[in-house]
Amino acid sequence: MGKFLLPEPGSVTERPDSSLGGTVEYVQADYDDSEWRELNLPHDWGIEGPFDLNAPGETAKLPWQGIGWYRKQFEIDEADLGGMVFLDIDGAMANPLIWCNGAFVGGWRFGYASFRVDLTPHLRAGGDNLISIRLENLDESSRWYPGSGLYRNVWLVKSSRVHVEQWGVHVTTPKIEEDSALVCIETVLNDETGGESAGKSENAIYAPNTLLRPLELQHRVFEANKEGLIVGEALVESARETVEIQDGFAAHSSICVTIDSPKLWSPHSPSRYVVETQVWEDGQLQDRVETLFGVRSMAFDADNGFLLNGERVMLQGVCLHHDHGALGAAFNVSAMRRQLLKLQEMGCNAIRTSHNPGAPEMLDLCDELGIFVIGEAFDCWALPKKENDYCTCFQRWHERDLRAMVRRDRNHPSVIIWSIGNEIAELWHPEGWKLGRRLSAICKEEDSSRLTTAGYNFGGAGFDGMQAAVDVTGFNYKPDLYAEFHERNPTRPVYGSETSSCISTRGAYFFPFSDERLEGRKDFQVSSTDLHTADWAFTPDAEFKGLDENPCAAGEFVWTGFDYLGEPTPFNADMTNLLNFSDLEERERIARELEEQRKNSPPSRSSYFGIIDLAGFEKDRFFLYQARWRPQLPMAHILPHWDWPEREGEHTPVQVYSSGDEAELFINGRSLGRQKRGPLQYRFRWDEVYYEPGEIRVETYKDGEPWATASRKTPGPASNIVLEQNYPREGEADLTYVAVSLADEKGVTLPRATDELSVQVEGGGELIATDNGDPTRLEPFQSSTLPLFYGKAIVIIRRKPDTDAGIKVKVVAAGLPEAELSV
Ligand code: GAL
């Protein structure tokens, strides 16, 4: 019973080598793998590089393609052979095929799906059991960096013959009143040996053990007899219910219980409960599963947007791809938590897992932190975006993949809706809604408590019947259509499933500031004025206006929260860009532009879309969203920085983002005027500013009262290196992020520094990656030397297992004293 993390540290070997694919000797026990590398999971072989300038930027110029093998030897007790042993894989990129002791036991296609294979018949008692896994990533199978290998957790699950099926507990809260909530628990028991048995299932609800947070310190699952997620006395217990399993068919049990004075789950108070399910046979405990859930009601309303527990909540969301920047696709709870906390600081309350199911731990984190989630299944159906993408297996696999996503994730209180796809080509086709309806129906069969949605990029989809494919229409980049949609579909809810696609490089400013799309792109960087967008896209302000003028819309999901690996628009020659254009002339023009781009081999390998850069540093836009999403937080932010020795006396416009409604700008103490922000205006702009060194400062007001101030000063020469612990801000985590910058002797930061750094980590930690947020840098992320990029760099350190020793980070840059920080 219970689950165990696979592997034990340092006991998996891997050899990504495309020339070796298909050679089945790797699955044999006597194959000599002593030359193979030992490593820990999760693992992404692509992120190890090297970058190749001539490889496609759309998938990050990294070698994620090809075939990789993993082998793992492990022990099985005689006693375990009386029950079942499964291998649960949370995600393997891609096309995993699995052997156990030389016998083929199964596989999957979709790299983002979680799945299980049964090892039981092939195991023997003792230590010489072997699992071999082959992965294959095809060229032209992704529009972004997909990662490669066993990039999510893998679990060896041991259970009794009679056990709760995988994802076999489904908890819903169909009736919530002020002083009570009805909790319904459906349990699926199985006996895969095909025998007949009569199990008894019993459920109890507990308050969760909050001492087990943060998640970094907790395994997601527990051995049966050890303390798990539950604590204290049960709040309610169900009677034991007999469930008869016949001929190996799964058997269902269904009960409802009432909990008194329920604590509702919400972003401000993400309370959870735990169901403990026990399975008994002949008076013996056979299996025990703990399922976290939350009590809350959700609704989408055509006039009033999204309602949580009966009250309107604006969806202030972002889309996220699955990579962790310099760490690649290899899932890490600390890296994910850092991303989510940063987004919350901005006021973000929702994530769209674009465009595929996320890691299960990501949803655990969203439950815990109070962040809403759109669980999205696909980026395409049978019609391709790339030659070898999911289209190659959609017909045979979509049902399994969709059911797997919904079944796995339906107990998470954070998940508010299922998305059956993003910008699906079939949904441009007059008959496409039928297939859409079928996919929606699959979601409902697995989970009748949630609605479905899709991200439509074709405006007509809101009017030509295609909207019938799902319950809630998601528009990608259509702020101008909310009004017409609402008028013509008065009973259908709508929201911005993908918005803005503004592009910028953190810290880079090119003059003149201009709203023109092609301006502001120099040296493969994009000016950080938040006025530049992809050709099909809008500034954040245009979407804000669309939402403010149409309160029916439930909110937005900005493309994207963080920069991600791949898709470096506007320096991306990926022809799938053309899918964004319905106008044929425009399409042809862009096709020509992309052809030209291809010839130039731009070095760009990661996106410019992020509100936050790849290293995790805020771009200016962070504050534009914070001003809107946290209106009660007194804040002000000025751009650009104030270090322009070459621009003395030159026209240097200034913008201010603030949650205040009035602002006065001062240059070296002289007022440049006070402005009031009118309706539908989201930023303050002073276009007639002429640079002089010193200080630029803003004082803001709200309702006539002083609100927040901000200033930027011209720095002198660098005098020292500044090291700051960027994550975790409190508590412990397996990863520590240290930010590096330079300051002058008065402590003023140098925003343009490019000094080369050399980093050393001593004691209980090891350096695993560095980054500076530069989308064009082709040095390996594992390098211990790197330049500052617009004044900043990040160092990522992993705590070594089994040591409490302190960790010391040392950073050297020429001509400056060495800096040291204990973390
Ligand atoms: C959208 C697409 C996203 C991303 C984005 C960039 O059309 O759904 O995956 O490509 O464009 O602006």
Side-chain angles (χ1 to χ4, degrees), residues 143-144 321 352 354-355 376 379 385 422-423 455 457 476-477 498-503 534 536-537 559-560 564 567 569 572 576-577 579-580 609:
R143 296 193 298 120
W144 56 85
H321 270 319
R352 172 180 179 229
S354 41
H355 304 295
E376 185 153 272
D379 189 45
K385 290 185 179 171
N422 171 60
E423 303 193 345
N457 57 334
N476 287 10
Y477 311 103
E498 207 174 296
T499 61
S500 187
S501 267
C502 188
I503 41 183
W536 52 87
W559 191 265
T560 46
Y564 51 94
E567 212 184 22
T569 306
N572 179 21
T576 66
N577 278 322
L579 299 173
N580 289 295
F609 291 117

Side-chain angles (χ1 to χ4, degrees), residues 156-228:
L156 191 67
V157 182
K158 299 176 182 178
S159 78
S160 295
R161 217 168 25 79
V162 179
H163 57 268
V164 176
E165 201 172 80
Q166 186 186 30
W167 310 318
V169 178
H170 183 195
V171 189
T172 51
T173 54
K175 196 159 149 209
I176 302 168
E177 286 169 349
E178 207 160 286
D179 50 4
S180 71
L182 188 68
V183 180
C184 294
I185 306 160
E186 198 164 317
T187 314
V188 183
L189 299 191
N190 213 338
D191 171 357
E192 271 101 338
T193 59
E196 312 219 344
S197 34
K200 286 180 196 292
S201 84
E202 183 179 81
N203 290 290
I205 297 177
Y206 291 79
N209 182 358
T210 47
L211 293 178
L212 286 167
R213 293 175 196 173
L215 252 178
E216 286 91 328
L217 303 178
Q218 116 190 16
H219 287 251
R220 290 185 61 243
V221 277
F222 298 87
E223 286 180 68
N225 301 322
K226 291 197 183 150
E227 193 180 349

